[in-house]
Amino acid sequence: MAEAAAAKKKSAWRTLGLALSNRKSGFMLLFGFAQGLPPALFLGTLYAWLSEAEVDLETMGVFSLVGLAYSFQFLWSPLLDKVDIPGLSKLGKRKQWIAPMQLIIGIALVVMAGLDPKNALGWFSLLAAIGAFASATQDIGINAWRIDVADDVATIDILSTITQMGFRLASLVGGAFGLIMAARYGWPFMYVLFGGFMLAIGIAALFAPDARVSEDRVANAAANHDEVAELYNQGEVAEWVRNRALLAVGVLWALAIGTVVVFMVWSMTAAPENRPDVTAFTTTFGPLIVLATIVLPAFIAAWVVKQQREGVNVIAAAPGVGAGHAVKFTDHLYRALVLPLVEFVSRMGWSLVLILALVLTYRITDSVWGVFAYPFYLGELGYTGEEVAFASKILGIFAILIGLALGGWLITLFGRMFMLTLGAVIAAATNLLYANLAVGGAAMQAGSDAIGFTWLVNTTANWLEPLFFVAAPPSEGLARLSFTIFWENLAIGIAGAAYIAWLSSIVAKKYAAVQFALLASLTLLIGTLGRGALGQMIETRGYYYVFIFTALIGVVAVVLCVMEWVREARAGRDSGVVAPDPAIAAPAE
């Protein structure tokens, strides 16, 4: 038994070493950084620049609209699975989208650096919108690229951990360090510097490996004479069934896209007093958009699957591939918009209900109360902005990075599902730390003192305060605040590594862009919708009871993780200890 455990540990270390030394891992870190930097610059530090330029708050509120690109990126995700960019398709199915988007982001940042936000606000907002759209688009491509290139060396678990580490590192660089550089050297210098980073990453992306999807497509087309011939094979649903499904899904998606476009145009063109509220829009229309683009289309896809499995309204005999079929526009639309959902529903069956429930609840414990964090730190507990910045933006980011690294290593030891479940447990449990903090934090202070964390915080704060001007001198209570945030962020890192790896493992490589984007869009939905009710609970019951309540909510995610673990075990799926799921372990160039 001891020898088996030692061999397993040695195998885990060997697997980890091989994965980290693989060139795919290096590009994954680079891509993760490229994913994290634009949101920090377009949605974070940009507001500090606008504030210094004396741009009014109403106008800054309009800038928050660029965040809709990230919230609803799944609306154009089918393009990345089925559309080639003329002249760039030779780069690879994913790189043809990733590299140009990164170059666009870099150019947008550099041009913004040369503008005065107060006197050229129109151009400034346009560049921010273009940059955010390009950033959201590269996210779709990078998430699909990670799934495409995963193999038995650079596993999906390790790549998922690395991309999260790159993202969090970019958040730190573009956030806290970005503000420091702007204070010392000015905003134009900072944006030119980071724009240069994105341009360099875009050039480097040209040399990244890409999955042989384009070769598979060519081979498939050669065998079937056209890429839609398989839709006419014996046993496939009749053309009228496909067209009805496409019409229904197309109308729903068109309504969703139209709603977002109308809202953005209205907000950008209306007078300040007539502008709609972004938060109210997201809360009210967000669930309706998800219903129209995910939930209802899933039912439509289930209807198509039911028809095919029961042999109702299916093609009785293949018309003959050799004769060839006229490629119809509706066939391409069906393959891009409906077929990813049909494949997912067909493969998962009723297990899709469990998967969606887990996706909706896994991040709820931290997402539902996250918007109240600063009111809790600053208003309820009375900490200063500098102290909160030190605890959450510096120590907190490092804690997440440590958690991601630890989570990635533990996945190689214990498997993906064990770590997914453990992540849910500790993410829920850390809410109890905040409950203690809400009533004085005596236990947090005792724990911090016992392990020497208080000394570390005070020493670090004293060192950073004169060097970076971002941390306050050590004050009473700073250690217990930092101690609580550190352990919560460590748990978020561990849970995040396992969650992204699991999410990447359940999508089909062939439809990775669409399926991953759809599932990822659901992750924070329940937390977003529940914030109104949670705010009322805080007003009536106080923060202590809210943290106890959110910890109990986390138990739901734990139970669902166990159920998913059992489902995968019964289905004979790999748990992710050494090799990834066969569906995503395709060879890459």
Side-chain angles (χ1 to χ4, degrees), residues 25 136 199 223 248 387 413 433 516 529 537:
S25 300
L199 290 173
E387 289 173 327
L413 276 178
L433 306 184
F516 189 93
L529 299 179
M537 184 181 295

Side-chain angles (χ1 to χ4, degrees), residues 12 35 109 177 229 231 248 260 484:
Q35 283 185 286
L109 292 172
F177 291 165
L231 296 176
V260 174
T484 307

Side-chain angles (χ1 to χ4, degrees), residues 116-334:
D116 179 358
K118 188 171 186 179
N119 298 323
L121 193 58
W123 284 105
F124 208 76
S125 59
L126 177 61
L127 288 167
I130 292 174
F133 179 82
S135 173
T137 304
Q138 75 145 356
D139 288 354
I140 300 171
I142 290 173
N143 289 331
W145 179 89
R146 179 180 65 248
I147 296 165
D148 284 348
V149 304
D151 55 29
D152 56 352
V153 176
T155 67
I156 194 64
D157 302 313
I158 297 299
L159 292 180
S160 299
T161 300
I162 292 173
T163 189
Q164 285 287 299
M165 293 183 69
F167 186 95
R168 297 295 182 175
L169 183 62
S171 299
L172 175 64
V173 172
F177 291 165
L179 291 174
I180 295 167
M181 284 188 287
R184 290 194 172 188
Y185 306 111
W187 290 104
F189 172 85
M190 192 269 280
Y191 269 73
V192 167
L193 178 64
F194 288 148
F197 281 175
M198 289 303 303
L199 290 173
I201 293 173
I203 295 173
L206 299 174
F207 303 95
D210 206 352
R212 296 187 182 128
V213 180
S214 58
E215 293 181 12
D216 292 342
R217 186 187 302 169
V218 172
N220 183 65
N224 298 291
H225 294 286
D226 63 71
E227 63 176 359
V228 297
E230 61 187 31
L231 296 176
Y232 294 91
N233 288 343
Q234 183 176 354
E236 296 292 331
V237 292
E239 184 177 0
W240 70 266
V241 174
R242 297 200 310 269
N243 289 340
R244 286 190 180 183
L246 175 62
L247 177 62
V249 174
V251 169
L252 290 169
W253 277 62
L255 288 173
I257 295 174
T259 300
V260 174
V261 171
V262 168
F263 176 75
M264 293 189 71
V265 172
W266 178 20
S267 301
M268 291 292 187
T269 57
E273 63 273 11
N274 296 325
R275 289 171 184 161
D277 182 76
V278 177
T279 303
F281 171 81
T282 304
T283 303
T284 303
F285 287 95
L288 296 177
I289 291 173
V290 171
L291 180 69
T293 54
I294 300 176
V295 179
L296 292 180
F299 279 106
I300 295 170
W303 173 71
V304 174
V305 172
K306 184 174 184 292
Q307 299 274 307
Q308 187 172 10
R309 288 183 174 176
E310 294 180 355
V312 179
N313 299 319
V314 297
I315 298 174
V321 174
H325 300 289
V327 177
K328 299 178 181 178
F329 181 65
T330 53
D331 292 335
H332 287 297
L333 283 179
Y334 180 83

Side-chain angles (χ1 to χ4, degrees), residues 301-302 304-306 308-309 339-350 352:
V304 174
V305 172
K306 184 174 184 292
Q308 187 172 10
R309 288 183 174 176
L339 206 54
L341 298 172
V342 172
E343 188 280 335
F344 201 49
V345 171
S346 177
R347 178 161 49 90
M348 293 300 179
W350 284 106
L352 183 60

Side-chain angles (χ1 to χ4, degrees), residues 409-557:
W409 174 63
L410 291 176
I411 287 175
T412 65
L413 276 178
F414 302 110
R416 183 187 306 136
M417 292 310 302
F418 175 85
M419 292 306 301
L420 186 73
T421 307
L422 177 63
V425 171
I426 59 179
T430 53
N431 284 265
L432 301 178
L433 306 184
Y434 279 95
N436 179 262
L437 192 65
V439 293
M444 297 299 96
Q445 187 66 54
S448 179
D449 293 340
I451 66 173
F453 194 85
T454 302
W455 172 85
L456 176 65
V457 167
N458 292 338
T459 302
T460 306
N462 276 323
W463 176 66
L464 287 178
E465 195 276 331
L467 185 62
F468 292 130
F469 307 103
V470 293
S475 64
E476 183 181 1
L478 178 60
R480 58 176 173 263
L481 174 69
S482 302
F483 184 80
T484 307
I485 291 177
F486 179 88
W487 289 111
E488 185 209 23
N489 285 10
L490 186 74
I492 289 175
I494 293 173
Y499 179 69
I500 297 299
W502 171 75
L503 205 63
S504 300
S505 75
I506 62 175
V507 303
K509 186 187 72 170
K510 190 175 181 180
Y511 306 107
V514 178
Q515 292 179 355
F516 189 93
L518 289 173
L519 291 174
S521 69
L522 296 175
T523 299
L524 303 180
L525 176 64
I526 297 297
T528 301
L529 299 179
R531 287 170 186 167
L534 198 72
Q536 293 179 351
M537 184 181 295
I538 290 173
E539 291 289 338
T540 57
R541 301 297 300 272
Y543 280 98
Y544 174 80
Y545 290 99
V546 165
F547 289 126
I548 298 296
F549 176 69
T550 52
L552 293 175
I553 291 177
V555 176
V556 176

